[in-house]
């Protein structure tokens, strides 16, 4: 199964309309919905924030496309077709449009929303999907370099860092990196 490597933002202009594409690798439909809400909050004055996501979560496939007020089938559907054509899963795409005063027509909308999704997915780099689990790591300050090296080498996601008496990281890691972390001495892994 393929997904994308990283979250990205792309932008282009078509006949004075500005298209901004956001994409992110996801593991759950809740993660997709949260990302969509975040982008909508970033662009409350946008003409449209059209969305699509495709995710396989615990063996169940979820697919949702939204035209957000564009004519039916001119935004969410073509973006979804790009995800299908590119064979990517566990990804969310938001295409934000600021209308520039020149109507694009149905064909122009379909082309440009599909282009937004395609450019964003390509920029996010298509890779084999790796299931990741979220956990807490609790360790002493002396272990920071060892832990960070493992996270960087595994291309893992560091969600939060806390520095108190001990160091606590909230991370999303592959099962392979998780096993390596569990093997390290004096590191508490909390699932």
């Amino acid at each position: 199964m393929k997904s994308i490597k990283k979250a990205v933002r792309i932008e282009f202009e078509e006949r004075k309309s500005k298209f901004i594409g956001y994409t992110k690798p996801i593991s759950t439909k809740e993660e997709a919905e949260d990302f969509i809400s975040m982008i909508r909050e970033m662009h409350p004055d946008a003409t449209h924030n059209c969305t699509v996501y495709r995710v396989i979560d615990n063996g169940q496939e979820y697919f949702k496309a939204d035209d957000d007020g564009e004519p039916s089938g001119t935004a969410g559907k073509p973006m979804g077709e790009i995800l299908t054509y590119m064979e990517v899963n566990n990804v969310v795409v938001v295409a934000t449009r600021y209308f520039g005063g020149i109507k694009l027509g149905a064909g122009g909308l379909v082309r440009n929303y599909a282009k937004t999704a395609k450019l964003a997915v390509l920029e996010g780099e298509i890779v084999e999907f790796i299931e990741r689990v979220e956990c807490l790591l609790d360790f002493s300050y002396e272990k920071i370099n060892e832990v960070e090296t493992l996270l960087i080498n595994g291309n893992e996601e560091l969600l939060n860092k806390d520095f108190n008496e001990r160091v606590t990281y909230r991370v999303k890691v592959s099962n392979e990196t998780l096993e390596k972390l569990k093997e390290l001495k004096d590191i508490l892994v909390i699932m």
Side-chain angles (χ1 to χ4, degrees):
M1 182 169 81
K2 293 185 230 169
S3 187
I4 59 170
K5 184 177 183 178
K6 61 188 177 197
V8 296
R9 176 188 190 275
I10 60 100
E11 186 176 320
F12 67 92
E13 197 171 295
E14 180 69 31
R15 295 175 66 192
K16 297 188 180 181
S17 277
K18 184 169 156 184
F19 287 85
I20 307 168
Y22 297 90
T23 189
K24 179 184 180 198
I26 54 169
S27 298
T28 65
K29 72 177 195 167
E30 290 77 20
E31 206 176 331
E33 295 288 350
D34 290 346
F35 183 75
I36 291 167
S37 295
M38 181 186 78
I39 300 302
R40 284 190 169 142
E41 287 172 17
M42 284 172 52
H43 297 281
D45 56 338
T47 315
H48 304 280
N49 284 293
C50 303
T51 62
V52 65
Y53 64 80
R54 186 171 163 184
V55 62
I56 298 172
D57 184 9
N58 289 327
Q60 177 71 42
E61 184 173 349
Y62 300 94
F63 177 85
K64 183 176 178 186
D66 181 14
D67 293 320
D68 192 38
E70 289 285 25
S72 182
T74 61
K77 184 177 181 221
M79 293 188 334
E81 288 171 354
I82 290 295
L83 298 184
T84 301
Y85 172 76
M86 297 178 91
E87 298 177 337
V88 291
N89 286 297
N90 292 35
V91 65
V92 58
V93 179
V94 180
T96 299
R97 177 181 178 217
Y98 287 91
F99 181 60
I102 300 172
K103 292 191 176 191
L104 301 177
L109 291 173
V110 168
R111 279 190 302 280
N112 285 288
Y113 280 109
K115 177 181 176 180
T116 303
K118 185 176 181 180
L119 291 175
V121 168
L122 289 174
E123 186 70 23
E125 296 179 49
I126 298 173
V127 294
E128 275 303 311
F129 177 73
I130 298 170
E131 185 78 35
R132 289 186 167 29
V133 294
E134 191 172 317
C135 61
L136 288 175
L137 307 176
D138 182 77
F139 51 92
S140 63
Y141 281 84
E142 296 82 44
K143 294 286 187 178
I144 289 176
N145 285 339
E146 200 172 353
V147 170
E148 288 197 354
T149 299
L150 265 178
L151 296 175
I152 290 167
N153 289 344
N155 196 28
E156 307 299 353
E157 192 175 349
L158 180 56
L159 304 171
N160 190 34
K161 294 181 180 182
D162 282 323
F163 299 97
N164 295 306
E165 286 179 35
R166 291 175 56 84
V167 180
T168 306
Y169 284 3
R170 189 165 59 92
V171 296
K172 276 183 112 173
V173 297
S174 65
N175 287 326
E176 182 182 339
T177 300
L178 181 62
E179 291 308 312
K180 290 178 182 175
L181 288 166
K182 287 179 178 178
E183 291 171 8
L184 295 177
K185 292 191 183 302
D186 304 320
I187 294 180
L188 178 62
V189 178
I190 305 164
M191 302 294 288

